[in-house]
Amino acid sequence: MISLLTPRHWKDYELIDCGDFEKLERFGNITLIRPEPQAVWAKQLPESEWQKLHDIRFKGRSATSGEWIKKNARTPDRWHITYKNDDISIKLRLALTSFKHVGVFPEQAVNWDYISETIGQFKTEQPRILNLFAYTGGASLAAKAAGADTTHVDSIKQVVTWANENQEISGLKDIRWVVEDALKFVKREIKRGKKYNGIILDPPAYGHGPNGEKWKLEDHILEMMQDVAGLLDEEEHFLILNTYSLGFSSVIVENLLRGTLSDPQNLETGELYLQATAGSKLPLGVFGKVRKIG
């Protein structure tokens, strides 16, 4: 059975509509229009409604960069939003970047719920959690807010600094920050004999480490999964794998988990999506996860 999951607890985020290769989204009290390559269908709302509702629109100059066009010059470039579920409350600082991102992938809130819920069920008093390819740290914050000893690894120093800011505005402390190539870090942790109760992997399709290391998902994900399997605590653990590559299906993710984990309990695979208020579903990657409660 393949699961289709969408966030249920967002108050500060809303996908209003999507289509014609764009999405109309509200983050807090600011509404954006951004490119969306997977929205190949037609918009549900008329263009006049999009023009009326949005505050800022991203106009691409190339495949990787562009500019933000504001209707009102006083609209801020940075602002905060909050995410709450039954277990945690975290804050995130958003910003207008030159590559159309704002510092959060809203569909990942599904995984934040899974992380906080699972940590609450663990018998381990302070579970050790490892977040790889951790970006601005939503999953790290969720783990820390739920009471875990949390390590955050990303190869880009600027986004680790951003994640640290999110920790501060969330009223949290003592996340371990590591600027490193994820695969190199995992191999070092294996040599050290480290074990983790939870591991989150959110690898990009393509990427580079701090020293120019090249990452290509299909070339390196098997090696990464084989190594990560050696870091999981045998008695009590969870593992989440997200992939965004258009060539990856949830069946591939299932095969990876079954092939690298010796006893994958409570295995679930499927697709993350955002439900637009106007009606469409926007697919945003596939996931696989396993969980063993001691």
Side-chain angles (χ1 to χ4, degrees), residues 18 120 128 205:
C18 53
R128 301 182 72 241

Side-chain angles (χ1 to χ4, degrees), residues 45-62:
L45 298 177
E47 188 64 31
S48 59
E49 192 71 5
W50 281 56
Q51 295 307 316
K52 181 177 112 178
L53 290 175
H54 88 278
D55 299 297
I56 313 173
R57 185 175 207 140
F58 184 87
K59 183 179 180 181
R61 290 194 301 264
S62 70

Side-chain angles (χ1 to χ4, degrees), residues 84-119:
K84 295 181 181 180
N85 61 26
D86 295 337
D87 305 306
I88 61 167
S89 176
I90 60 176
K91 285 188 177 181
L92 302 165
R93 191 262 288 172
L94 303 189
L96 305 176
T97 72
S98 63
F99 44 95
K100 83 180 179 181
H101 297 308
V102 294
V104 65
F105 295 105
E107 71 280 359
Q108 289 302 314
V110 167
N111 290 326
W112 306 343
D113 293 345
Y114 185 85
I115 291 164
S116 60
E117 173 196 324
T118 303
I119 289 171

Side-chain angles (χ1 to χ4, degrees), residues 256-275:
L256 279 168
L257 292 171
R258 289 193 185 279
T260 54
L261 302 179
S262 59
D263 184 23
Q265 296 189 18
N266 301 300
L267 173 62
E268 182 181 1
T269 62
E271 196 161 343
L272 299 182
Y273 73 95
L274 291 171
Q275 177 64 60

Side-chain angles (χ1 to χ4, degrees), residues 45-285:
L45 298 177
E47 188 64 31
S48 59
E49 192 71 5
W50 281 56
Q51 295 307 316
K52 181 177 112 178
L53 290 175
H54 88 278
D55 299 297
I56 313 173
R57 185 175 207 140
F58 184 87
K59 183 179 180 181
R61 290 194 301 264
S62 70
T64 57
S65 66
E67 62 180 334
W68 296 91
I69 301 170
K70 299 179 181 180
K71 287 203 300 194
N72 186 331
R74 289 176 293 180
T75 303
D77 289 338
R78 296 186 176 194
W79 69 103
H80 295 166
I81 61 172
T82 298
Y83 182 76
K84 295 181 181 180
N85 61 26
D86 295 337
D87 305 306
I88 61 167
S89 176
I90 60 176
K91 285 188 177 181
L92 302 165
R93 191 262 288 172
L94 303 189
L96 305 176
T97 72
S98 63
F99 44 95
K100 83 180 179 181
H101 297 308
V102 294
V104 65
F105 295 105
E107 71 280 359
Q108 289 302 314
V110 167
N111 290 326
W112 306 343
D113 293 345
Y114 185 85
I115 291 164
S116 60
E117 173 196 324
T118 303
I119 289 171
Q121 294 176 10
F122 277 162
K123 295 179 174 61
T124 305
E125 188 170 334
Q126 192 177 37
R128 301 182 72 241
I129 306 300
L130 174 61
N131 188 12
L132 299 167
F133 310 96
Y135 193 46
T136 57
S140 301
L141 299 177
K144 190 65 184 181
D149 178 358
T150 304
T151 299
H152 172 113
V153 180
D154 197 283
S155 64
I156 301 173
K157 184 177 181 180
Q158 294 93 323
V159 297
V160 175
T161 300
W162 193 336
N164 194 9
E165 289 181 47
N166 287 336
Q167 175 183 236
E168 292 174 4
I169 64 175
S170 295
L172 301 170
K173 61 181 181 179
D174 296 332
I175 292 175
R176 180 189 177 201
W177 308 109
V178 180
V179 179
E180 177 61 286
D181 175 77
L183 192 54
K184 284 186 175 179
F185 178 82
V186 166
K187 289 183 183 299
R188 279 208 313 276
E189 291 293 89
I190 290 171
K191 289 180 180 178
R192 294 168 178 155
K194 295 290 183 68
K195 294 290 182 180
Y196 291 90
N197 301 100
I199 300 178
I200 305 120
L201 297 105
D202 198 4
Y206 302 96
H208 291 88
N211 298 313
E213 301 93 340
K214 290 184 179 180
W215 168 272
K216 189 176 181 182
L217 184 64
E218 55 266 40
D219 290 346
H220 296 101
I221 190 60
L222 177 58
E223 181 183 3
M224 173 64 87
M225 290 300 300
Q226 289 169 335
D227 288 346
V228 160
L231 291 179
L232 278 179
D233 181 90
E234 293 181 4
E235 298 302 317
E236 194 164 56
H237 62 250
F238 71 82
L239 185 146
I240 300 171
L241 171 63
N242 294 297
T243 69
Y244 292 96
S245 173
L246 294 178
F248 265 54
S249 75
S250 57
V251 176
I252 291 175
V253 171
E254 178 181 351
N255 289 339
L256 279 168
L257 292 171
R258 289 193 185 279
T260 54
L261 302 179
S262 59
D263 184 23
Q265 296 189 18
N266 301 300
L267 173 62
E268 182 181 1
T269 62
E271 196 161 343
L272 299 182
Y273 73 95
L274 291 171
Q275 177 64 60
T277 307
S280 299
K281 291 180 172 66
L282 178 61
L284 288 163

